[in-house]
Amino acid sequence: MTLRIDRRSLLLTGGIGLTAFAIPGFASAMTVADLTGFTHSVASGEPGPDTMLLWTRYVGAGSAAKLKAEISETADFARIVSGGEAIIGPWRDWTAKIVVQGLRPGTRYFYRFVAPDGSVSPVGRTKTLPQGNAKRFGIAVFSCTNMPFGYFNAYAHAAARDDVDLAIHLGDYLYEYPKGAYSPERGAIDGRVPLPEGEMIALADYRLRYASYRADPDLQALHANKPMLVQMDDHESANNSWEGGAQNHQANEGEWSVRRAAALQVWREWMPVSDRPWASYDIGTLATLFRTESRLLGRSASPDLEPLFRSANPMKALTDFRDGAWMDPARSMLGSEQETWLGHALAQSVRSGRRWQVTGFGTIMGKTSAPEESTQWLKPGTSERVRNYVAAGVLAGKAGLPNDPDNWGGYPAARARFLKSAQAAGANLIVLAGDSHNAWAYDLAQDGKPAGVEFAGMSVTSPGFEGSTAADPKVIAAAMIARNPELKWCDTSRRGYMALTLTPEKVSNDWMFVDTILERNAKASIGHTATVTRGRNVMA
């Protein structure tokens, strides 16, 4: 007999099993009433040279359960080298996070959890950060994973690599929209419709959406095989969110502060993250990684250009804005507390002899304006909404404004402060970014001088330019590069992830494009490689 999933039974019984996504239509027809125990495999995150945060989810039979974590250098767990215990329950959606210590630097470990009844979780693999003179470190970088658009093949490919020491997720780990609001024209691929079918607004909605995404076997494989640093962007809460609201939060959806608190709580429950909103991680003497928060805690509202487009003289309104309010130094991306911390931390990393300073942001920093020919690229039959959006971007570009004021382009004074702090510190700056769904490489400059390079990654599944354009991607790329001096390369048509390789004197970044997202297929290949030599702050 086939039973319909309902929100209450999924929340109470722990979610969906490991192989759920092998079944088309899994989210609407599956027996879950008897599911208990370990429901969503394991994960690790926020590594140190001698510590690691371990995560799992275990639904107990009573009102609480005590879990034990074990970590070993061998798969048979013959010698447990560290561990810990935690009491969990429905107040944290039965998730557990335990930080283990006393580990050795640069060492691979096996880990697992043991339940009160003696049952054991799946076994995960993880690796601590190195100390001293590290010669190489590999990082897989992801963003923008929308389940209805396809399979998470990028996760599967990276999970199987032996040369990846760490995964970084820059945000849009999932999407908040209701069924059909943001999905392929043909509908969800193979019935990949996450629960709840409505928009996630309340605490239970966010928990259920994470339970759906985290049931994907390829996402589980990535978490079980690589430690991860995770950051939020907007869709973990609502589209174009900021400290005081979001584009996709309406008055009839309750107080923004309540929704924002629910989004943060569930993200901290379901992700292998600490409660620290931002932090730095040293990779021996090789580099410092900076995990940032650029959405819910200190970000000002992004500029709203729509009233300017509707004015009697749009070009004058746009140029007046460009010369005035756009440069407002009070508009912040990070908030003054985090901005000050990051500037000091960059300088400290340089003083301590770290070779590279690698900073992750949710949105792109490179200056990007729309070329005039953008309107000619659109597919026949493109909706009026999309055509108006593109036309507005072209008009903004003519006025010298960015095509997306929700990224760093809407916060030019904040961008200048960050880049000046990197220059003052003498940083060898690498910026990693997501959000745009497409692939980009920028030489970042400030006051006419090199400040660093930016590698911006394409999405895992979310659609990019190719969703509404008919033009050859090479034609689009050439026009974008010609229009934007900081932009050195881009691809506007393919999905995948970035593979960053750090060495003492050179950093290289591979844009890894998967063969397809329309079926489960973990094949991928390098589409482009960019390199930067230490001391240059521009790509070779």
Side-chain angles (χ1 to χ4, degrees):
M1 179 176 67
T2 299
L3 300 179
R4 300 290 294 182
I5 272 187
D6 67 88
R7 177 181 302 174
R8 181 176 179 275
S9 65
L10 183 56
L11 290 174
L12 292 178
T13 60
I16 312 169
L18 178 63
T19 60
F21 284 95
I23 305 171
F26 78 96
S28 60
M30 190 176 178
T31 302
V32 297
D34 297 324
L35 290 180
T36 56
F38 293 102
T39 67
H40 287 78
S41 193
V42 295
S44 65
E46 302 199 10
D50 60 354
T51 61
M52 186 69 67
L53 185 154
L54 305 180
W55 179 99
T56 194
R57 185 168 188 266
Y58 174 85
V59 179
S63 60
K66 185 167 73 172
L67 290 187
K68 180 171 66 173
E70 297 179 338
I71 191 164
S72 173
E73 292 187 29
T74 59
D76 61 4
F77 289 85
R79 178 172 173 265
I80 307 300
V81 299
S82 186
E85 294 182 321
I87 296 172
I88 61 170
W91 60 87
R92 57 175 306 116
D93 205 14
W94 295 99
T95 60
K97 290 190 289 189
I98 298 174
V99 176
V100 296
Q101 57 185 327
L103 308 179
R104 295 194 297 131
T107 302
R108 294 189 185 276
Y109 287 95
F110 297 87
Y111 65 95
R112 66 187 182 186
F113 291 82
V114 181
D117 62 3
S119 61
V120 180
S121 72
V123 174
R125 295 292 310 276
T126 194
K127 187 178 182 181
T128 52
L129 297 181
Q131 278 186 329
N133 295 320
K135 300 301 183 184
R136 182 198 177 280
F137 195 83
I139 304 173
V141 185
F142 305 91
S143 65
C144 304
T145 312
N146 194 318
M147 181 179 291
F149 279 91
Y151 287 90
F152 299 165
N153 294 326
Y155 292 152
H157 188 271
R161 293 180 63 154
D162 291 331
D163 60 346
V164 169
D165 301 295
L166 176 72
I168 292 178
H169 205 294
L170 295 171
D172 295 346
Y173 184 94
L174 43 62
Y175 284 72
E176 82 275 18
Y177 296 111
K179 179 182 179 180
Y182 181 36
S183 60
E185 293 178 1
R186 58 187 165 277
I189 302 300
D190 291 343
R192 288 169 62 85
V193 179
L195 293 173
E197 292 194 355
E199 185 172 329
M200 59 179 193
I201 298 171
L203 184 71
D205 300 326
Y206 284 93
R207 284 174 167 174
L208 187 55
R209 189 63 57 88
Y210 276 93
S212 289
Y213 271 72
R214 288 294 298 273
D216 183 276
D218 296 318
L219 179 50
Q220 288 192 0
L222 179 66
H223 275 302
N225 282 280
K226 309 294 178 186
M228 186 180 283
L229 296 182
V230 191
Q231 300 179 192
M232 267 192 171
D233 195 31
D234 53 341
H235 291 292
E236 288 89 346
S237 55
N239 184 57
N240 286 7
S241 53
W242 58 285
E243 183 181 15
Q247 176 275 330
N248 192 29
H249 181 77
Q250 285 71 49
N252 64 356
E253 293 174 329
E255 291 291 335
W256 169 248
S257 60
V258 175
R259 184 175 185 176
R260 174 176 170 269
L264 280 167
Q265 176 180 332
V266 178
W267 184 72
R268 287 170 176 158
E269 289 171 350
W270 278 84
M271 293 289 97
V273 295
S274 66
D275 289 342
R276 294 175 295 169
W278 51 79
S280 63
Y281 307 83
D282 291 328
I283 306 172
T285 58
L286 188 57
T288 303
L289 304 179
F290 299 96
R291 175 174 63 82
T292 66
E293 198 293 316
S294 57
R295 273 295 170 189
L296 298 182
L297 302 184
R299 177 194 271 249
S300 308
S302 59
D304 182 8
L305 304 186
E306 188 173 341
L308 307 182
F309 296 125
R310 295 198 307 263
S311 66
N313 188 337
M315 185 56 66
K316 183 178 186 305
L318 289 167
T319 53
D320 287 348
F321 170 77
R322 179 200 65 200
D323 297 336
W326 183 48
M327 294 301 298
D328 186 352
R331 185 178 290 115
S332 177
M333 177 69 81
L334 303 176
S336 60
E337 180 185 358
Q338 184 182 187
E339 192 174 295
T340 300
W341 165 81
L342 184 55
H344 288 167
L346 283 167
Q348 175 57 33
S349 174
V350 174
R351 287 195 300 269
S352 68
R354 266 75 191 186
R355 315 288 282 180
W356 302 94
Q357 288 70 46
V358 183
T359 306
F361 293 122
T363 57
I364 287 175
M365 180 169 283
K367 293 181 178 179
T368 315
S369 295
E372 290 190 29
E373 56 264 48
S374 298
T375 55
Q376 303 170 18
W377 301 337
L378 296 175
K379 293 178 179 177
T382 298
S383 70
E384 183 179 3
R385 180 186 64 82
V386 172
R387 289 187 178 279
N388 289 341
Y389 176 83
V390 174
V394 171
L395 191 61
K398 289 180 179 179
L401 292 167
N403 64 342
D404 184 5
D406 185 62
N407 68 21
W408 283 88
Y411 303 76
R415 175 193 135 119
R417 290 194 297 268
F418 169 72
L419 293 179
K420 286 180 179 180
S421 71
Q423 289 174 326
N428 285 274
L429 179 67
I430 307 291
V431 170
L432 304 176
D435 179 64
S436 77
H437 303 179
N438 293 122
W440 315 85
Y442 299 88
D443 282 338
L444 302 173
Q446 180 59 41
D447 297 330
K449 300 175 183 178
V453 302
E454 178 175 35
F455 302 137
M458 57 289 199
S459 65
V460 173
T461 61
S462 302
F465 278 31
E466 79 286 353
S468 57
T469 57
D472 185 336
K474 293 180 181 178
V475 171
I476 295 175
M480 294 295 295
I481 292 168
R483 178 68 179 83
N484 298 287
E486 287 191 340
L487 179 63
K488 304 305 176 184
W489 172 85
C490 68
D491 180 279
T492 61
S493 64
R494 293 178 285 180
R495 315 275 68 80
Y497 69 101
M498 297 191 298
L500 186 77
T501 302
L502 302 167
T503 64
E505 297 302 323
K506 184 178 75 172
V507 170
S508 63
N509 189 68
D510 296 333
W511 283 265
M512 304 294 305
F513 294 112
V514 296
D515 286 5
T516 182
I517 60 172
L518 301 183
E519 61 183 28
R520 197 172 174 210
N521 177 351
K523 293 181 180 179
S525 57
I526 299 173
H528 182 72
T529 299
T531 62
V532 56
T533 302
R534 187 171 182 273
R536 295 290 308 279
N537 274 331
V538 295
M539 282 174 278

